[in-house]
Amino acid sequence: MRRSTGARRSSGNARSKRLLAAVGALAVFGGIAAVTQISSAHENRRTTTRNVSSACVAPSPGATSPSGRGSTTQTWQNGRWVRNHWGDGQMSVAECQAVKDGNAPVNTVASGVTCPDVAGKLPRVPDRARAEVDRNLALLQNQIAEADRRLAAEGRNGQTFINNAILRPLEDKRRATLNRIATAIDRVGPRPQGLDQLARCTVAANNNNGGANGGQNGGQNGGQTGAPTASPTNGGQNGGQNGGQNNGGNNNGGNALGVLAKDCTNSDLQPHDGFQNGNRCVSTAFGEVGAAANNPSLLITQFPEQVQRNQAFALRVSTRNLIRDRFLAAGQGGYYLESSVLNDQGLTRGHFHTACRMLQSTDEAPSNPQDVPAFFVATEDGRGGNEADEVTIQIPGLPQSGTAQCAVWAGDGSHRVPMMERANQTPAFDVVRIEVN
């Protein structure tokens, strides 16, 4: 009898130990999961764009502009505004905190003040007035940037405050600057009329469109519902999934190539959701590929061979056959989400990326492809066509000595390198090496 009772007691103790071990394991797993969620908060990688991390952490190196202002900045270059998407849409701590506090929608980007386009409304500017006009056009953009900073810091004070303290002062500054532009042109040619009507600005309710033409082109929402110029079978994630499944998975199309897969029907991986996560299967259709003569090309035309540590420098980039008007923020779920789309001339719509990383060796392929580059930016300016043009990329400096590999490559609206008609065509990319002392 005593032996039986002892056996039961021993069995009970064993069950208790197993229970405690299980509870401990769950606690450890929960702690690991919590740490993992917090550590990846800056990338905003979620299954839904409405989930917000419980903590805001600093973005990865290169994920914000040199001023640390957020996900987008604009500069005046070569007669047009160039929009740079720092970190492919990752949020700064301030933006993340605003979202967490309920003071900004999840998909809001840094630039919330919207003003009428001035450069596009000007007549042909005489050469003798060009320098002064360009200075004042740049000043107009600086004024918008300053208003954006105030909006980010104090916009929670309400619409009345925004109107009185931000928009009206901005309108007064713009009116004076527009008058200087008109006067500069008037000195050497006919005075432009109606510029003062471009002084008033507004605050966008949800500026997630991703570019100067993003409002018309659909931005993030266009990517999720299918680009307006895409065919129904190529329209966004849903079209990609349906088109891929209807194409019959491993159907070889009558050839003997032994194709392993044409969609995600037989994949064991979970579906890709538009965020930058691996071990996923992407069902989005490839989309439209242009004729060989219309495929994008790209070249770095100017770069320094040597710079000092933390010395600012510039790369000049020329593109052809790339319409730079389409950018779905990867940090907001626009990665591999939208099918490739051509414009009416058969040219790829997208943008281009620039990145610089330090090479540990020049004798073998890097062993750390997952590392965040020392510099990264995605550029969209609403321009581009079948003629070559140039954009200047300003790099604030590289913090390490050694050999830097600076690369530039084209991307479609969802960040993929544009497709080429033939396998023996060179894709739209270029790379240079710069010595950092």
Side-chain angles (χ1 to χ4, degrees):
M1 235 2 229
R2 280 194 300 270
R3 189 175 296 122
S4 176
T5 302
R8 285 195 299 269
R9 185 179 296 116
S10 175
S11 176
N13 289 339
R15 282 195 299 270
S16 298
K17 290 178 181 179
R18 287 196 298 271
L19 180 60
L20 288 173
V23 172
L26 287 173
V28 171
F29 177 79
I32 293 172
V35 171
T36 302
Q37 181 177 5
I38 292 172
S39 66
S40 62
H42 68 279
E43 293 172 322
N44 198 25
R45 298 175 182 178
R46 300 290 183 270
T47 56
T48 171
T49 58
R50 290 299 169 189
N51 289 340
V52 181
S53 171
S54 59
C56 295
V57 299
S60 302
T64 57
S65 67
S67 64
R69 276 200 54 235
S71 60
T72 66
T73 61
Q74 290 190 96
T75 57
W76 175 257
Q77 296 181 28
N78 299 331
R80 82 280 200 184
W81 296 117
V82 175
R83 182 179 291 255
N84 293 316
H85 299 265
W86 301 92
D88 269 358
Q90 295 185 39
M91 287 189 292
S92 66
V93 173
E95 290 171 314
C96 173
Q97 193 64 46
V99 172
K100 177 183 173 185
D101 294 342
N103 296 314
V106 171
N107 290 332
T108 296
V109 297
S111 185
V113 175
T114 301
C115 300
D117 173 49
V118 175
K121 300 295 193 300
L122 293 177
R124 183 184 179 279
V125 178
D127 292 341
R128 285 183 292 170
R130 168 55 64 187
E132 187 172 353
V133 170
D134 282 352
R135 281 196 299 272
N136 281 285
L137 287 171
L139 179 59
L140 287 172
Q141 187 58 25
N142 290 337
Q143 293 165 355
I144 296 174
E146 176 58 31
D148 275 336
R149 284 191 286 270
R150 286 208 66 185
L151 181 65
E154 305 175 79
R156 69 186 65 184
N157 292 329
Q159 189 62 46
T160 300
F161 174 87
I162 292 173
N163 290 338
N164 294 334
I166 299 178
L167 293 181
R168 287 179 185 171
L170 175 61
E171 181 179 349
D172 292 340
K173 294 177 183 177
R174 283 176 60 84
R175 198 177 303 279
T177 305
L178 290 167
N179 184 63
R180 287 195 293 271
I181 292 175
T183 300
I185 297 175
D186 186 40
R187 292 193 188 104
V188 293
R191 184 182 182 88
Q193 302 298 315
L195 291 187
D196 58 336
Q197 299 176 8
L198 307 177
R200 180 170 297 180
C201 302
T202 60
V203 172
N206 186 9
N207 187 18
N208 69 330
N209 50 37
N213 296 332
Q216 297 174 354
N217 296 333
Q220 170 102 355
N221 294 332
Q224 292 173 340
T225 59
T229 58
S231 63
T233 57
N234 291 335
Q237 181 79 7
N238 292 334
Q241 290 173 337
N242 295 335
Q245 292 169 359
N246 292 336
N247 282 339
N250 296 333
N251 179 10
N252 294 336
N255 60 50
L257 295 176
V259 175
L260 297 179
K262 292 175 66 177
D263 57 42
C264 295
T265 302
N266 297 322
S267 175
D268 294 331
L269 301 179
Q270 66 186 86
H272 194 272
D273 58 5
F275 290 95
Q276 298 174 89
N277 289 319
N279 292 322
R280 304 290 192 274
C281 190
V282 180
S283 288
T284 302
F286 268 62
E288 300 174 332
V289 56
N294 292 333
N295 290 165
S297 61
L298 179 153
L299 190 71
I300 300 174
T301 60
Q302 185 174 327
F303 64 95
E305 294 184 358
Q306 191 174 74
V307 296
Q308 300 297 315
R309 283 194 304 122
N310 296 313
Q311 174 189 347
F313 63 96
L315 300 179
R316 184 167 292 178
V317 181
S318 174
T319 76
R320 188 192 302 268
N321 294 340
L322 179 67
I323 306 301
R324 304 183 299 264
D325 72 342
R326 193 76 183 147
F327 175 91
L328 271 69
Q332 298 169 17
Y335 193 61
Y336 294 166
L337 183 67
E338 180 180 83
S339 299
S340 292
V341 176
L342 306 177
N343 73 351
D344 293 340
Q345 287 76 45
L347 306 180
T348 297
R349 295 178 59 186
H351 54 283
F352 71 85
H353 307 91
T354 303
C356 293
R357 64 177 176 178
M358 304 306 299
L359 297 176
Q360 301 304 313
S361 169
T362 57
D363 296 325
E364 59 183 24
S367 60
N368 51 352
Q370 77 279 3
D371 284 358
V372 175
F375 172 85
F376 176 87
V377 69
T379 299
E380 170 197 27
D381 60 359
R383 295 293 185 90
N386 56 11
E387 298 294 331
D389 64 353
E390 291 189 329
V391 179
T392 300
I393 303 299
Q394 303 291 345
I395 299 173
L398 301 175
Q400 292 180 298
S401 298
T403 301
Q405 180 193 57
C406 292
V408 180
W409 67 99
D412 62 12
S414 277
H415 310 280
R416 292 161 300 209
V417 175
M419 295 178 287
M420 315 297 282
E421 178 183 331
R422 301 193 320 270
N424 65 352
Q425 288 183 260
T426 302
F429 76 91
D430 197 11
V431 179
V432 297
R433 292 183 183 176
I434 299 172
E435 292 301 319
V436 184
N437 294 328

